[in-house]
Amino acid sequence: MLFNSAIFVFLYLPIVWIGYLLALRLPWARAGIAWLGVASIFFYGYWNPAFVPLLVVSILFNYGVGRLLDPQVWNASPRARKGVLAAAVALNLAALGYYKYAGMLVSSFGALTGIATPVVDVLLPIGISFYTFTQIAYLVDAWAERRPEKSFTAYVLFVTFFPHLIAGPVLHHAEMMPQFLRGDRALRYALALEGLLFFACGLAKKVLIADSVAPAANRAFTLAESMPIGFVDSWFGSLAYTVQIYFDFSGYSDMAIGLALLFGIRLPLNFNSPYQSRSIVEFWRCWHMTLSRFLRDYLYIPLGGSRHGPARRQVNLMLTMLLGGLWHGAAWTFVVWGGLHGLYLQVNHAWRHLVEKSPPLQRLLARHARPAAFVAWALTFLAVVVAWVFFRAESFGGSANLLAGMFAGTASVDAQLADLHTEVYIAVGLLVAFLAPNSQQLLTGAGEKLVSRFTAPRPFLQGVHAGSLLFVITALVLISVSWGTNEFIYFNF
Amino acid sequence: MNSSISISSVLRALAGALTAAALLAVVLEITLRVLPTVNGVHRESPHTSGVASARLIANHDFTWSLGWDMRHVIKARTNAMGFISPYDYSAGATAVALLGDSFVEAQMHTYDESLAGRLDARLGSMRAFNFGISGAALPHYLGMAREMGARYRFDAAVVVVTGMDYEEGFEAKEGLYRWAADPQRELISLVPAVERSSVVAVVRELALVRYVRANLKLTAGKVFARHDETPCEPRRLSAVDLRRLAEYVEQLPAAMHLQPQRVVMVFNSGSNADLYERVDRGRARRPACETRDSLALAELRRLAAASGMKVIELDELLEPHYREYRRALDFKPVDSHWNGTATALVAAKIVGMLAPLPTHAAAPAP
């Protein structure tokens, strides 16, 4: 069930929301979160019921291991507890590896050795990367903090809560559990209205911009798989994808945040105007922020982070980015994308080091602060666009054909992909991404205003705002359905 | 909303929500009336026009645009018969009958870029009479051939057959011919049109309704449809199907008093999305699945060729062009109808097949 589908917006969401309101009135304190847990598992099963048992087994296993890591339950030695943790993490990764990477590994082995290998075609359970990572983080924290979650109902909801289950944000249990378990059982209207605002904003990003430029990006990348395409076509396609992925994923994240707010839950922010970044380091602080946080806390820092000198830091950084790339998908192009960003980060750190050691360079940059900032932004954006080519292309041949078109102008065909409408959408998308405040900046302010307005009991006005938002959401869903309700890009990861 | 909220508060909130929605609907209606929303392509009422089979409103300006953002705006006019053509059809003219569905009707083209317009430009003084109507299928083409064959003298006919044309022929669509239950008694029958109430007529004229139905191409079924891959369920043609198709091939040229050799059947049974995938990736987009429709169209193609009709398989025509230029042949992703490039290719092929044109093709235009 997609957030932009009619069945989700017009049927599933109202039923779950009203059911939640009713559940809050029941005497059982956790009826609300139990209802949301059941509804979330239904949401997951609607896509493919065959994978519900896998999700349930994963939840039971990790909850059980979490309980085992509680010293009050099992008073074992630190070494034994660490062993249990390592085994549990390995099992989680093994399941992820089987479902996501088996095909890639087998075919790569065959390609490297020349041995004929069978085609391994394992259907990827949707959201497996997200719920596996969420639970690995939980286990590590349970082991380190020795405070694993006791409430099974809350744990189920933490993993399955439908706004984040399929494509994140990647949650940290410490920021979610208190919200699920708080005593406050009244749903605040202002928060729900802020949620509708976020949802409408995310839906607009997805439907009006991302879906409008997606066909151009798809055409360009598909063509590039078979032949070099022209300069204009390749830039048109790569910029279309640059716009598409930002508005698609940040739109999804806004919708997820909005949906959670409808139930009084705040999810962490995932984007902070990444295309306005003036360095790759800054870009990674603003792009898919919850994944960056996860990779930092559970991979980069455990690897040693920057604690063992600059050389080791570079290795750790590169390893983190390579694995981060691989996390996105079972293809070597994702690894190259991650590696490219690892390289960018190393260049970025080297440049910073150079500036720190060179007072004349510092003075030069200070004297020309505005042009320097512009050049820094332009270089960062260009580097990101080039890296997206590897992220989107289906093969290295496709990436090479597109990059050759972008930088060498080689082409065997002029497919004339550009059309005025898509050019306008790309231009609008880029201008918004470069110059406009992001939805969090816009809506947090608006949300606060709304909160203050709705503290006074003015039901008619509350209804006017909700009715307006629902009208806009309905219109956007109808437009989305007319496109054929496109999936979100990150559903594939 | 606090859980202890009163009923009156809920009612007031509901009133507020409905008021806001109504006001926004009015604003949107006014805005859409200013913008080039699809307009004026309604069917003529058979109860006022006296024509039972479906036509557009005669001598009527219409606007066509594509998708939610109303791209590719076309403004054109129907002729006195309610078909899309810049001229009225004259009984004395030497003409080629053009039968088909929306691909032939061509609301999405300027006349010059439509198949009829392209043929007109290439046929010299001979005219292409466009009898295409959206939603039509094989039985309707035969029905129109009968109706128009009784009225005009054709030199040739072009029938554009698109995917699902056999299967959709079983659906009851008002004003269109459908397959009759027993092909031995009667091959086709006309589904009578229903007279609409004035309320429905007013609702259909609302810009909001036109936008949702024509620009967004939405129906209730489409809004709530699941997009699962439907499993392939291989079918076989029954004896009744085979008899129906054989009758069809026999009756179609006869209905227009033509030799089979003067009928060109254009089979547009594949999709351009499949064609692009096949060429760009070198593989099929989805596994081949023989349905009753695909089998029926293949059988129709075989029977038509065997009877002497000229047959064009569109994939064979479009694929080499796409392979060479890689330029779109339709309005995808918003609309899968042929664009001007495709109509030019199809028209050139048809004219090549009809050549040599008869001597009276050079007669003065009607």
Side-chain angles (χ1 to χ4, degrees):
Chain A
M1 214 180 315
L2 299 168
F3 290 171
N4 50 339
S5 67
I7 196 135
F8 176 83
V9 173
F10 300 141
L11 289 177
Y12 176 84
L13 190 58
I15 290 170
V16 174
W17 196 71
I18 291 167
Y20 184 63
L21 290 183
L22 296 175
L24 289 178
R25 291 170 175 263
L26 294 176
W28 181 34
R30 291 190 183 158
I33 58 174
W35 165 253
L36 282 182
V38 170
S40 296
I41 290 172
F42 174 83
F43 171 82
Y44 187 79
Y46 187 83
W47 168 71
N48 187 345
F51 287 117
V52 172
L54 181 70
L55 175 68
V56 171
V57 167
S58 173
I59 290 170
L60 289 172
F61 171 76
N62 287 298
Y63 175 76
V65 173
R67 296 295 300 131
L68 203 61
L69 290 172
D70 186 345
Q72 290 177 343
V73 175
W74 184 40
N75 191 15
S77 68
R79 193 187 166 100
R81 293 177 72 248
K82 197 171 182 177
V84 167
L85 172 71
V89 170
L91 271 172
N92 273 296
L93 291 178
L96 183 62
Y98 170 73
Y99 283 104
K100 193 163 177 175
Y101 300 107
M104 175 199 177
L105 292 174
V106 170
S107 65
S108 298
F109 176 76
L112 276 175
T113 58
I115 298 170
T117 51
V119 176
V120 179
D121 190 14
V122 182
L123 189 60
L124 180 71
I126 196 166
I128 189 170
S129 305
F130 286 94
Y131 71 70
T132 303
F133 270 35
T134 301
Q135 294 187 100
I136 287 176
Y138 162 76
L139 290 180
V140 173
D141 289 346
W143 168 77
E145 296 166 15
R146 294 163 179 257
R147 280 188 288 109
E149 182 51 49
K150 287 181 181 168
S151 163
F152 179 68
T153 322
Y155 182 79
V156 170
L157 185 58
F158 159 63
V159 178
T160 63
F161 188 36
F162 71 88
H164 82 92
L165 175 61
I166 307 296
V170 182
L171 299 184
H172 195 290
H173 78 284
E175 65 198 352
M176 301 310 298
M177 290 302 185
Q179 296 193 68
F180 291 145
L181 295 170
R182 70 171 171 239
D184 174 17
R185 294 170 62 201
L187 193 62
R188 281 176 292 163
Y189 184 87
L191 213 56
L193 205 66
E194 193 185 335
L196 276 184
L197 263 170
F198 261 99
F199 187 79
C201 188
L203 192 57
K205 281 178 169 181
K206 164 72 175 161
V207 173
L208 302 184
I209 303 288
D211 287 352
S212 294
V213 300
N218 293 342
R219 285 279 295 134
F221 278 88
T222 304
L223 270 181
E225 285 301 313
S226 60
M227 59 171 59
I229 59 174
F231 176 81
V232 173
D233 285 342
S234 48
W235 273 105
F236 181 70
S238 56
L239 285 175
Y241 187 67
T242 301
V243 170
Q244 184 200 352
I245 191 165
Y246 174 60
F247 281 88
D248 187 283
F249 193 26
S250 71
Y252 168 83
S253 297
D254 287 347
M255 291 164 83
I257 289 167
L259 288 169
L261 283 171
L262 285 176
F263 300 94
I265 304 291
R266 274 198 189 277
L267 296 184
L269 302 182
N270 224 8
F271 287 88
N272 189 16
S273 305
Y275 289 163
Q276 295 176 15
S277 305
R278 292 175 186 175
S279 72
I280 290 293
V281 171
E282 188 186 339
F283 174 81
W284 277 104
R285 285 185 188 136
C286 302
W287 179 273
H288 203 172
M289 292 150 71
T290 56
L291 179 69
S292 301
R293 181 181 67 176
F294 178 91
L295 292 173
R296 183 196 65 205
D297 293 347
Y298 299 99
L299 192 58
Y300 178 68
I301 290 174
L303 283 170
S306 57
R307 297 192 300 275
H308 304 292
R312 178 69 187 275
R313 182 179 72 170
Q314 305 289 31
V315 172
N316 292 339
L317 202 55
M318 183 55 90
L319 259 176
T320 304
M321 295 312 291
L322 286 171
L323 289 170
L326 188 61
W327 174 86
H328 282 86
W332 293 108
T333 46
F334 287 112
V335 180
V336 169
W337 172 77
L340 206 49
H341 270 282
L343 188 69
Y344 292 162
L345 286 169
Q346 297 196 348
V347 171
N348 198 162
H349 285 302
W351 170 252
R352 277 186 179 180
H353 185 69
L354 186 69
V355 173
E356 280 168 14
K357 298 280 176 192
S358 169
L361 194 53
Q362 287 173 19
R363 281 196 294 277
L364 182 72
L365 289 173
R367 216 169 30 246
H368 302 289
R370 287 174 74 91
F374 178 79
V375 170
W377 164 79
L379 278 175
T380 304
F381 182 68
L382 181 65
V384 169
V385 172
V386 168
W388 284 138
V389 172
F390 288 96
F391 190 90
R392 172 62 179 81
E394 291 163 31
S395 68
F396 289 118
S399 323
N401 282 339
L402 209 91
L403 289 171
M406 287 166 73
F407 295 105
T410 54
S412 55
V413 71
D414 175 17
Q416 298 183 353
L417 297 178
D419 68 278
L420 182 65
H421 275 80
T422 313
E423 285 166 351
V424 168
Y425 293 126
I426 291 173
V428 168
L430 288 176
L431 284 173
V432 168
F434 293 157
L435 303 172
N438 59 52
S439 46
Q440 285 88 40
Q441 290 162 340
L442 277 173
L443 299 185
T444 307
E448 279 169 6
K449 274 187 199 162
L450 283 170
V451 169
S452 63
R453 289 184 72 173
F454 288 108
T455 44
R458 284 182 290 184
F460 184 81
L461 207 55
Q462 290 173 347
V464 166
H465 283 82
S468 308
L469 283 169
L470 290 173
F471 187 90
V472 170
I473 288 169
T474 302
L476 289 168
V477 168
L478 292 181
I479 292 172
S480 177
V481 175
S482 79
W483 279 114
T485 313
N486 292 320
E487 272 191 8
F488 293 90
I489 291 174
Y490 266 66
F491 274 30
N492 299 312
F493 306 144
Chain B
M1 196 181 294
N2 194 291
S3 54
S4 61
I5 202 159
S6 67
I7 295 288
S8 71
S9 298
V10 171
L11 289 177
R12 271 183 285 164
L14 203 60
L18 291 174
T19 306
L23 280 174
L24 280 171
V26 169
V27 170
L28 199 56
E29 172 71 21
I30 293 166
T31 310
L32 289 174
R33 280 181 182 273
V34 175
L35 295 171
T37 315
V38 173
N39 192 13
V41 286
H42 290 316
R43 301 276 169 88
E44 187 85 75
S45 166
H47 305 277
T48 51
S49 68
V51 181
S53 61
R55 312 284 162 82
L56 297 176
I57 297 171
N59 293 319
H60 196 67
D61 291 323
F62 70 87
T63 304
W64 189 86
S65 58
L66 192 57
W68 73 273
D69 50 3
M70 300 176 216
R71 58 180 75 180
H72 193 71
V73 177
I74 298 290
K75 287 183 185 290
R77 189 174 171 80
T78 57
N79 66 11
M81 281 187 85
F83 293 108
I84 297 177
S85 181
Y87 51 83
D88 294 332
Y89 304 152
S90 153
T94 310
V96 172
L98 199 46
L99 303 168
D101 60 3
S102 51
F103 281 82
V104 170
E105 185 187 46
Q107 291 175 17
M108 68 292 301
H109 289 293
T110 59
Y111 188 71
D112 290 346
E113 290 214 326
S114 70
L115 183 60
R118 299 274 194 210
L119 287 173
D120 263 344
R122 285 176 167 268
L123 288 172
S125 57
M126 202 152 67
R127 290 299 178 119
F129 285 3
N130 177 2
F131 300 120
I133 194 101
S134 296
L138 285 176
H140 191 75
Y141 310 156
L142 177 60
M144 291 307 288
R146 287 177 183 170
E147 283 188 29
M148 298 305 152
R151 193 164 177 171
Y152 300 106
R153 186 172 66 90
F154 296 114
D155 185 74
V158 175
V159 184
V160 176
V161 180
T162 52
M164 298 304 291
D165 258 3
Y166 184 73
E167 205 64 60
E168 285 176 4
F170 291 97
E171 294 173 12
K173 297 177 184 171
E174 53 176 306
L176 299 184
Y177 289 91
R178 64 180 295 194
W179 297 121
D182 182 3
Q184 275 188 316
R185 291 179 59 203
E186 178 57 76
L187 189 56
I188 59 172
S189 60
L190 183 65
V191 179
V194 180
E195 189 162 23
R196 291 188 172 78
S197 69
S198 53
V199 176
V200 173
V202 168
V203 169
R204 280 157 58 99
E205 278 304 318
L206 289 174
L208 263 170
V209 174
R210 284 187 274 116
Y211 179 74
V212 170
R213 289 182 57 184
N215 283 85
L216 300 185
K217 300 184 193 303
L218 291 180
T219 58
K222 189 178 172 187
V223 169
F224 290 102
R226 279 191 73 159
H227 296 280
D228 297 339
E229 289 280 320
T230 44
C232 179
E233 289 173 17
R235 296 281 299 269
R236 291 174 58 189
L237 292 180
S238 66
V240 178
D241 292 322
L242 293 170
R243 196 177 312 126
R244 186 176 284 127
L245 290 164
E247 281 287 317
Y248 189 85
V249 169
E250 197 178 313
Q251 289 188 21
L252 187 67
M256 292 177 281
H257 314 291
L258 290 170
Q259 293 298 312
Q261 291 77 7
R262 298 304 293 164
V263 177
V264 179
M265 300 280 279
V266 181
F267 284 90
N268 181 31
S269 38
S271 83
N272 281 347
D274 289 337
L275 187 157
Y276 299 156
E277 188 85 357
R278 202 163 56 240
V279 174
D280 291 335
R281 294 183 203 273
R283 62 169 192 254
R285 193 161 66 110
R286 54 191 166 194
C289 178
E290 296 290 8
T291 60
R292 180 169 72 163
D293 187 75
S294 68
L295 290 170
L297 295 189
E299 176 66 6
L300 180 64
R301 190 161 47 234
R302 190 188 70 74
L303 290 170
S307 75
M309 291 186 205
K310 309 267 175 53
V311 170
I312 297 174
E313 181 50 66
L314 211 65
D315 269 4
E316 292 166 10
L317 176 68
L318 299 183
E319 187 169 322
H321 186 275
Y322 182 71
R323 194 174 290 283
E324 186 172 359
Y325 299 104
R326 307 291 171 117
R327 290 181 193 164
L329 297 161
D330 51 30
F331 299 104
K332 282 268 183 194
V334 188
D335 189 283
S336 57
H337 288 98
W338 299 328
N339 63 15
T341 308
T343 56
L345 289 167
V346 177
K349 183 74 177 176
I350 290 169
V351 171
M353 284 193 145
L354 288 177
L357 294 170
T359 48
H360 57 255

